[in-house]
Amino acid sequence: MISYKNTSTEELKEHLASLKAVYKEYQGMDLRLNMARGKPSNDQLDLSMGMMDILSSQDDLTCEDGTDCRNYGVLDGIGEAKQLLGDMMEVPAENIIIYGNSSLNVMYDTVSRSMTHGVMGNTPWCKLDRVKFLCPVPGYDRHFAITEYFGIEMIPIPMTEFGPDMDLVEKYVSEDESIKGIWCVPKYSNPQGYSYSDETVRRFAALEPKAKDFRIYWDNAYTIHHLYDEDRDYILEILEECRKAGHPDMVYKFASTSKISFPGSGIAAIAASHNNLDDIRDQLTIQTIGHDKVNQLRHVRFFGDIDGMNAHMRKHADILRPKFETVLEILERELGGLGIGSWTKPKGGYFISFDSLDGCAKAIVSRCKKAGVVMTGAGATYPYGRDPQDANIRIAPSYPPLADLKLATELFTLCVKIVSIEKILSERGA
Amino acid sequence: MISYKNTSTEELKEHLASLKAVYKEYQGMDLRLNMARGKPSNDQLDLSMGMMDILSSQDDLTCEDGTDCRNYGVLDGIGEAKQLLGDMMEVPAENIIIYGNSSLNVMYDTVSRSMTHGVMGNTPWCKLDRVKFLCPVPGYDRHFAITEYFGIEMIPIPMTEFGPDMDLVEKYVSEDESIKGIWCVPKYSNPQGYSYSDETVRRFAALEPKAKDFRIYWDNAYTIHHLYDEDRDYILEILEECRKAGHPDMVYKFASTSKISFPGSGIAAIAASHNNLDDIRDQLTIQTIGHDKVNQLRHVRFFGDIDGMNAHMRKHADILRPKFETVLEILERELGGLGIGSWTKPKGGYFISFDSLDGCAKAIVSRCKKAGVVMTGAGATYPYGRDPQDANIRIAPSYPPLADLKLATELFTLCVKIVSIEKILSERGA
């Protein structure tokens, strides 16, 4: 195809008219499709329904160390759940605390505790004049929402396909004591699906922060969420790398089974050094008597071990893979060579990231919505919801059935074309 | 029996010698009994095992409004869970937010949010020089642990059988702007089992706090936890009373199913005015996408409605009642008339409160421990673990089987006698 920029104004105008006619047809279809959030589809949820039968009224709900999972106690998780999530998170079980149903909640509580009580004996952040976080962009809106909520200043750091711009990260972290953290989704990143290179991970581990209480918030949300059996990303294990680099306490790693078993009914965990875990337990013992051990046991008995969990993830992949491939095919077929957008091609995770011409993202999302297709709000992938280029759009292919997804993606590409032509024409003063 | 104080020194000494001989026998029995915490017994846990079968892999896990409980969403709880816990907490469903597995966690988060973000637009407590809570004593150690953890100054308020000393509460709350809350267990209080009188509840609702952000922390932990069918306590509903008194926003009410279904695997809730709930939801939406809806649905389908829940509570009562009665019988038989202790006779809840002679509680608990019976630590029922009289001991009869409970209580009374005689003799200089 010829790029729109090399197409004559006359031809573009004609093309726009025909595109708008097609758009009208879509509007007449009364679509109600949603590509906004990384929600598993019903098919995926069905995969874990066996979990409902795995514990029965006749069962002994005692765990390996003799604890009755039905009663009070066990602050930081039953041993076998620590083992399972330790294997999933690639750290020893002893470096794990099991939480409730949501890793987002664990991250929130981690920031909240740092605000009120500080990190490992350091000054509580609420007593400081300024606290800042580095935010690789585009990134995850709910991360940014936590730091914004606590009045933490967010500094955007550009992402590359190898991870965040580490020159910039090193400079900020080593020079500014008010930098207390950085949000990372190191594997199949949200929204780009990038995985950090070995060099990036090693440079993270080698950071020499000015602030003693600087922590890397390593949200390993998609650690085993591959789309392909062979062609998958591997990243270095950050706790181990930090330990080797002499900074064992510099990282908190988060994960959950939300997109493995059930969102909202899974189990979440933090992995960190013993010093950090002791610090956390001092607080946790005030906050709760313990999390849901029956649900921990339910997960352990359903998955068995990490092999069982990986086998389960292949079933998720079989459902997700055609959806990602469909979206990518349509994007390539409809937009390839037009010079009006670029997109990522992830091998795992839940998202595809699309970059439009500058200044077009909001208009594209708005046009989609008017025809019944809801996308993640433009700007959501940036701190404070402000994408300075107004270019990034997150595509979440997981939830709609394949037929709906096709329709939605076709409409999306149509909107990209319309908005881009309007933009080009307006730049030409035409 | 003749009171010890009216017994001659000679006789007391003889009696002490024989008591100590019996104590030695107990020590030889290698007992390992625990009356420390309000844990349900295994028999009680068995009552809810049907919950493990109530959802199956063949079931539709859609709730009444069409939400698939297996997926993300629904920040503040599914409608039918709000209805069930609303009925349990005696408030409309619309005044409920359903949380995770622990009401303690809800209380912690409530205090934590007030520290970092303030209450309904008021100054965050972490920005204030002083924040104080009133603490009816004896009370619940985990309440006091939360306020202590956040550096909140705790002011003890004496309990009466009708509730806290309201003259004192009114004085403090109306005069001191730094008083931001009061911990209450209004029904079958922890540890005394007292229930607030109508006058007490009405005086609470009529409080005119100097601080706009003063809140009553109304921990209705034992709202339907009666021991008897007929002879039960009723208390006025505090949200309604506050509303009638023109102070609709002055109270947070907490409860959970921890001692109804499973501790650690139940569901918890807060009840409050719409203004308060809006304030809470503004924070909650940052903290989590939603709590465990499958477990909410599990509870709803298992109990059906409040009648089903009340029927279930009768089964708990049938197990707990003989335990309470056994402890009370032994206390009366062994200690009645001796003038060395007094105790409460609750009609519900999980505890009996025992007051020894001043200065004896720590020694009694320590003596019990040395013979293999663990009681709640003396002092635990007071802020900072300091009981100025060193007199209060919390007895938790729920967990041990009846035979063990008998033994443990007999040993307890033996220890009370020994420590009391030693105290009396030492006062006589004998």
Side-chain angles (χ1 to χ4, degrees), chain B residues 342-410:
Chain B
S342 61
W343 53 91
T344 59
K345 298 170 186 68
K347 297 178 201 158
Y350 264 68
F351 302 105
I352 292 165
S353 178
F354 182 88
D355 282 314
S356 67
L357 296 179
D358 284 0
C360 289
K362 273 187 203 301
I364 292 167
V365 169
S366 164
R367 234 182 210 284
C368 286
K369 193 171 180 185
K370 283 177 193 156
V373 171
V374 178
M375 313 284 300
T376 310
T381 52
Y382 280 74
Y384 311 105
R386 289 195 298 259
D387 172 2
Q389 271 76 47
D390 183 25
N392 188 251
I393 298 172
R394 186 180 78 165
I395 299 174
S398 57
Y399 187 68
L402 203 52
D404 289 354
L405 185 67
K406 267 187 189 163
L407 259 179
T409 309
E410 281 161 359

Side-chain angles (χ1 to χ4, degrees), chain A residues 53 57 70 117 149 265 292, chain B residues 46 53 57 117 149 265 292:
Chain A
D53 303 328
S57 57
R70 305 173 304 170
H117 288 80
Y149 180 71
S265 304
D292 186 343
Chain B
D46 288 344
D53 303 328
S57 56
H117 289 80
Y149 179 72
S265 304
D292 186 342

Side-chain angles (χ1 to χ4, degrees), chain A residues 38-43 45-47 49-53 55-61 68-73 101-102 104-106 108-109 112-113 115-117 126-128 140 142 145-147 149-151 256 258-259 261-266 279 282-295 298 399, chain B residues 38-43 45-47 49-53 55-61 68-73 101-102 104-106 108-109 112-113 115-117 126-128 140 142 145-147 149-151 256 258-259 261-266 279 282-295 298 399:
Chain A
K39 289 171 74 171
S41 63
N42 294 343
D43 288 357
L45 300 173
D46 288 345
L47 297 176
M49 281 305 283
M51 199 171 271
M52 298 298 147
D53 303 328
L55 301 181
S56 94
S57 57
Q58 304 308 311
D59 284 356
D60 183 358
L61 304 190
D68 187 341
C69 289
R70 305 173 304 170
N71 217 328
Y72 283 115
N101 72 325
S102 154
L104 188 75
N105 200 330
V106 184
Y108 176 100
D109 282 7
S112 185
R113 180 181 59 248
M115 292 298 296
T116 57
H117 288 80
C126 71
K127 302 289 183 200
L128 301 176
Y140 180 32
R142 291 188 189 271
I146 291 174
T147 26
Y149 180 71
F150 282 100
S256 81
S258 290
K259 293 183 180 85
S261 57
F262 295 111
S265 304
D279 191 43
D282 283 349
Q283 175 262 327
L284 200 57
T285 191
I286 306 294
Q287 187 177 25
T288 186
I289 302 174
H291 295 104
D292 186 343
K293 295 187 299 299
V294 171
N295 204 32
R298 186 177 286 120
Y399 187 68
Chain B
K39 289 171 74 171
S41 63
N42 294 343
D43 289 357
L45 300 174
D46 288 344
L47 295 176
M49 281 304 282
M51 199 171 272
M52 298 299 147
D53 303 328
L55 300 182
S56 95
S57 56
Q58 304 308 312
D59 283 355
D60 182 357
L61 303 190
D68 187 340
C69 289
R70 306 173 303 172
N71 218 327
Y72 284 113
N101 73 325
S102 154
L104 189 74
N105 200 330
V106 185
Y108 176 100
D109 283 6
S112 185
R113 180 180 60 247
M115 292 299 294
T116 56
H117 289 80
C126 70
K127 303 287 183 201
L128 301 176
Y140 180 32
R142 290 188 189 270
I146 291 174
T147 26
Y149 179 72
F150 282 99
S256 80
S258 290
K259 294 183 179 86
S261 57
F262 295 111
S265 304
D279 191 41
D282 283 348
Q283 174 263 327
L284 200 58
T285 192
I286 306 294
Q287 187 177 25
T288 186
I289 303 174
H291 295 104
D292 186 342
K293 294 186 298 299
V294 171
N295 204 32
R298 187 177 284 121
Y399 187 68

